[in-house]
Amino acid sequence: MPNSSDVKITDGPRGPKPRKMLSRRNIILYGTLIFVAIYYLVPLYVMIVTSLKGMPEIRLGNIFSPPIEVTFEPWVKAWAQACTGLNCDGLSRGFWNSVKITIPSVFVSIVIASINGYALANWRFKGANLFFTILIFGAFIPYQIMIYPLVILLRDLGLYTKLPGLILIHTIFGMPILTLLFRNYFTTIPEELFKAARVDGAGFWGIYFRVMMPMSLPIFAVAIVLQVTGIWNDFLFGVIYTKPENYPMTVQLNNIVNSVQGVKEYNVNMAATLLTGLVPLAIYFISGKLFVRGIAAGAVKG
Amino acid sequence: MNSIEIKNLSLNFGDVKVLKDLNLTIEKGEFLVLLGASGCGKSTLLNCIAGLLDVTDGQIFINEQNVTWLEPAQRGIGMVFQSYALYPQMTVEGNLSFSLKNAKLAKDEINRRVKNASEILQIEDLLKRKPAALSGGQRQRVAIGRALVRDVDVFLFDEPLSNLDAKLRTELRVEIKRLHQKLNNTMIYVTHDQIEAMTLANRIAIMRDGLVLQLDDPKNIYNFPINKYVAEFIGSPGMNFLQGKINNKDNVSFQIDDTLFELDGYNFQTIVEDKRPVWLGVRPENIVVNDGNKSMPVNFDVVVEVIEPMGADTLVWSHFNGHEFRFTVDGNKVINIGEKINLGFDPLHISIFDFESEDRL
């Protein structure tokens, strides 16, 4: 055994091992990351820059150059004045349509799917597995197959071209993936909590509202993000199951950008596109916090 | 009066028979421990009593009332789980009062019961905290409190101490025993820890493959195990087993190779014929080390191979006629590896099992 007085601890390595900032590994790693980030951000940059330019400036053709004279005219025009067919009240109408479609669709689909998932995970009723299998099977059927039958169905229900009809469609198509999401989350909640609640006399709804739901905020956040972005960005169902005055924002955006009368107003098109994309973007930024929060902490050992 | 009666209970999960025609009667105020290795059906039985699992066949009575089809909350039971299962988003107070609110009790009655339970368990200071801010021991106290506030006759414990560290486990074990002495209600306690079983139980039910092998008080289970499995399961370090046969020539004795152990004093349950192959089981703590004079009826020599000092006593490993043989000696006794030691035991304290059926003879 070495005598402690013989060893000078100051001589050898001590404390954290020094790391080189500009090592080969770091250069490759960060180089790649920066390159990829730029690659993805350039189109966004072009859009923002273009939307802030006037038409004469755009005609110069320097798409990467920042605007010499910043103008918000295109944004105002895209929101309030751009024409689609005969209507010249801009994207605002589509925005409010989209809001009217998205909020009820998201709410209804999440409420139903979370109860589905809860029942499937915790109350193993007879035929639960068959029900689940059929539901999941639905997630793998390309929905183009169902477009025409659903048109007929909605027509017979008297909901075709109306907003409630589109809300129904979004709710149905959100069901398989959301139910899977909730079921899988609820199965990770310790079964003993559910048992304890039953011993404590809570029923189906009592356990759902008082025990399961408060523990599941992260998964509700995930479901909201999925549904809001999915429904807001939907184009196909919007164009098929509604009529022009009920068109969601995406359909209206398409109509503005693709209208072929007069000059192509690139700045207005860019502004309209950015406006349409703002809502999903905002949702991502707001919900980010909820993902990280460990809500289930303390339920079991740990 | 019987507190719990289980009649011909069976439970199948698909093709797997977890509980097989099980009968069990538990008296009022009794502390019954269900003990067994994992997968023996002890937790399943507890869940059936609680009403958390639907039984395949049979009946369950609690306080003379058939509860087989009743919801858990209607059965008059409180349950404590291994993982505590506290509602994480509620405070301790919320956890304790949850069942009372579900039962729509008056507010001052809820407050009275919560106060009473938290005093008994000494968790008054924690009432405003969330479970995440509690230590393991405190969490399990709250979980016990949740059963306590319900003011029920039957407590069910599903391995409540398994998640705690060794020191806390012994502390809470005593507390549960105190609680039982104070409340004097019926408790059923599932564990795989034989020390918990021995220390807590009025009676222990040793389970294996969905059946109760032996139901008896701890002393009898320890001293007179009904078969080899029970004998192996109870006691730490485990019982030593020697394989041999009965020799009835002069006195009844146990023959292993050329050695004869006279079994004078052993209470055979049946008449045992000559040359019957048997196991002889003797607990390490029933072995005496002879210092010169042979004080015990049966004596033999072994060579010390490994020693494990454990403080109060020392566990010594050796071999006897090809069988591993352990015995404990006083912790202060000096024992050297390779040393030849003369051991002895009293046939009164051994167990003889049939070789084939492994049942006690």
Side-chain angles (χ1 to χ4, degrees), chain A residues 192 195 197 199-201 210 300, chain B residues 73 83 87 89 99 102 139:
Chain A
E192 293 191 337
K195 287 182 175 175
V199 172
D200 277 348
R210 310 273 299 281
V300 289
Chain B
S83 67
Y87 313 120
Q89 73 283 358
S99 64
N102 285 327
R139 283 181 204 178

Side-chain angles (χ1 to χ4, degrees), chain A residues 94-150:
Chain A
F95 175 82
W96 290 113
N97 281 339
S98 277
V99 169
K100 277 187 257 173
I101 294 163
T102 305
I103 289 177
S105 305
V106 170
F107 184 76
V108 174
S109 61
I110 287 178
V111 165
I112 296 176
S114 63
I115 295 168
N116 273 353
Y118 160 63
L120 282 167
N122 292 310
W123 300 85
R124 288 188 199 101
F125 52 92
K126 235 188 178 129
N129 278 335
L130 181 72
F131 176 76
F132 188 57
T133 313
I134 292 171
L135 200 64
I136 294 312
F137 184 65
F140 294 96
I141 301 175
Y143 50 54
Q144 285 80 352
I145 290 174
M146 293 183 255
I147 285 176
Y148 187 53
L150 281 172

Side-chain angles (χ1 to χ4, degrees), chain A residues 20-213:
Chain A
K20 259 202 319 196
M21 284 295 288
L22 280 174
S23 65
R24 237 171 68 123
R25 187 177 159 275
N26 277 0
I27 290 170
I28 293 172
L29 180 69
Y30 289 103
T32 312
L33 286 176
I34 289 166
F35 175 77
V36 172
I38 289 173
Y39 184 82
Y40 275 96
L41 284 174
V42 161
L44 184 68
Y45 166 77
V46 171
M47 285 177 74
I48 293 171
V49 166
T50 310
S51 73
L52 296 174
K53 288 177 185 169
M55 277 314 285
E57 227 182 290
I58 290 171
R59 283 192 204 97
L60 294 175
N62 304 322
I63 60 165
F64 291 108
S65 64
I68 304 160
E69 204 180 325
V70 175
T71 167
F72 291 99
E73 197 64 30
W75 288 75
V76 176
K77 193 172 180 195
W79 177 254
Q81 291 147 27
C83 293
T84 53
L86 293 173
N87 302 321
C88 278
D89 44 9
L91 270 176
S92 56
R93 171 208 294 274
F95 175 82
W96 290 113
N97 281 339
S98 277
V99 169
K100 277 187 257 173
I101 294 163
T102 305
I103 289 177
S105 305
V106 170
F107 184 76
V108 174
S109 61
I110 287 178
V111 165
I112 296 176
S114 63
I115 295 168
N116 273 353
Y118 160 63
L120 282 167
N122 292 310
W123 300 85
R124 288 188 199 101
F125 52 92
K126 235 188 178 129
N129 278 335
L130 181 72
F131 176 76
F132 188 57
T133 313
I134 292 171
L135 200 64
I136 294 312
F137 184 65
F140 294 96
I141 301 175
Y143 50 54
Q144 285 80 352
I145 290 174
M146 293 183 255
I147 285 176
Y148 187 53
L150 281 172
V151 169
I152 298 171
L153 195 76
L154 285 186
R155 192 188 62 201
D156 290 353
L157 288 171
L159 293 174
Y160 186 51
T161 72
K162 300 200 175 76
L163 288 183
L166 186 57
I167 290 166
L168 181 70
I169 299 289
H170 280 308
T171 306
I172 292 170
F173 280 102
M175 211 45 55
I177 193 71
L178 285 184
T179 303
L180 179 73
L181 193 76
F182 278 105
R183 193 202 81 115
N184 287 355
Y185 188 81
F186 286 135
T187 48
T188 64
I189 292 181
E191 206 194 348
E192 293 191 337
L193 260 171
F194 172 73
K195 287 182 175 175
R198 280 190 71 193
V199 172
D200 277 348
F204 184 91
W205 297 109
I207 297 175
Y208 174 73
F209 284 113
R210 310 273 299 281
V211 179
M212 291 301 181
M213 213 159 90

